[in-house]
Amino acid sequence: MSLNLDLTGRVAVVTGGTRGVGAGIARAFLQAGAAVVVCARRPPDAPIAADGRTARFRPVDLREPDGVRELLQAVAADHGRLDCLVNNAGGTPYRLLGETTAERHARVVELNLVAPMTASLAAYEVMRGQPDGGSVIMIGSVSGTRPSPGTAAYGAAKAGLDNLARSMAVEWAPHVRVNTLVLGMVRTELTALHYGDEDGIAAVGATVPLGRLAEPTEIGDACVFLASGRAGYVSGASLLVHGGGERPAFLDAATVNHPKEP
């Protein structure tokens, strides 16, 4: 039996969908047949397109609640519906906690936790009035599941985002499903800034059980699944998309040689 993830006639909004992971998510929705709107403060360097179809760009500052509400209301008015919101926008610079002010860390929390909540609330206002409801997908991170030195505020925000999604899933059921993708490392156009040249990227990828970083389109495929009818009974879930996670450091530090199974 084939797994048909056809989203023809559906409408998806991807925040931060102009590059990197967000662009990969947008392309996956386009390939599945959905009409896609990507939003960010600045337009993409080139149109986000796949299979001869192009996502529409709309500018927005996700930290401005009025602007976010206007955006999602406009999308629903233009297309007659809003089926899926993917809260992908976010990020952080590397900052040790004691090297900057609480106000700077609070801005990271605002972008990675408060802004997705603002967008989700605006989407809910539209989706709850639709006969078939809708789907909200949070793009989380393994940084929210383990210590994140240098990105502590980001990790705390992502942990909060996962918990927020679970509460939304309970409060908004049965009309709106809410789930989280918990991402590991993903290869994007900015990967070299974090891990260096191809040798450095390969070395980092080798620390992942599957032996490589994820591709943005693979994150997109997981989003399409969660937005589709095939995930109709999936809500309040956290789907790990991290290639098997991180190898525990003690395994390499231990000096004991364990005998192999016969």
Side-chain angles (χ1 to χ4, degrees):
M1 181 179 70
S2 64
L3 184 64
N4 184 14
L5 299 180
D6 184 3
L7 299 184
T8 300
R10 301 288 178 168
V11 179
V13 172
V14 182
T15 70
T18 57
R19 66 179 185 178
V21 173
I25 294 170
R27 292 188 183 102
F29 273 95
L30 288 169
Q31 290 170 340
V36 180
V37 176
V38 297
C39 59
R41 286 183 294 172
R42 292 179 292 273
D45 294 332
I48 306 301
D51 290 353
R53 305 176 63 246
T54 303
R56 182 180 180 184
F57 169 75
R58 296 190 67 117
V60 71
D61 186 338
L62 294 167
R63 291 169 292 193
E64 298 292 337
D66 290 342
V68 173
R69 284 192 294 270
E70 290 173 5
L71 166 69
L72 295 179
Q73 291 286 345
V75 170
D78 290 346
H79 297 274
R81 59 190 300 123
L82 172 61
D83 298 286
C84 183
L85 168 68
V86 182
N87 283 304
N88 164 77
T92 183
Y94 182 88
R95 288 195 187 111
L96 293 173
L97 280 170
E99 293 182 352
T100 190
T101 64
E103 289 80 6
R104 295 290 294 275
H105 293 304
R107 293 185 64 184
V108 173
V109 175
E110 181 183 17
L111 175 62
N112 292 279
L113 176 59
V114 179
M117 180 171 64
T118 298
S120 298
L121 287 166
Y124 176 65
E125 289 301 310
V126 176
M127 293 176 177
R128 68 177 178 176
Q130 299 178 158
D132 48 359
S135 169
V136 174
I137 301 171
M138 307 294 195
I139 301 302
S141 170
V142 293
S143 294
T145 66
R146 49 124 170 98
S148 298
T151 58
Y154 175 80
K158 290 299 187 180
L161 189 66
D162 192 15
N163 186 271
L164 176 66
R166 294 174 187 270
S167 295
M168 286 178 172
V170 174
E171 291 192 17
W172 295 353
H175 301 296
V176 177
R177 296 185 297 109
V178 187
N179 293 290
T180 303
L181 289 184
V182 181
L183 306 189
M185 294 177 289
V186 184
R187 181 167 185 148
T188 71
E189 58 267 40
L190 299 179
T191 298
L193 296 178
H194 300 284
Y195 308 128
D197 59 15
E198 288 298 319
D199 289 341
I201 294 170
V204 171
T207 68
V208 179
L210 287 189
R212 62 177 177 83
L213 277 61
E215 296 294 334
T217 53
E218 293 175 308
I219 309 306
D221 289 342
C223 285
V224 168
F225 166 69
L226 288 177
S228 75
R230 294 287 184 168
Y233 200 67
V234 181
S235 193
S238 300
L239 178 59
L240 301 175
V241 188
H242 59 11
E246 299 173 337
R247 179 180 171 83
F250 76 84
L251 292 177
D252 297 319
T255 58
V256 177
N257 292 319
H258 296 283
K260 295 182 179 180
E261 294 290 335

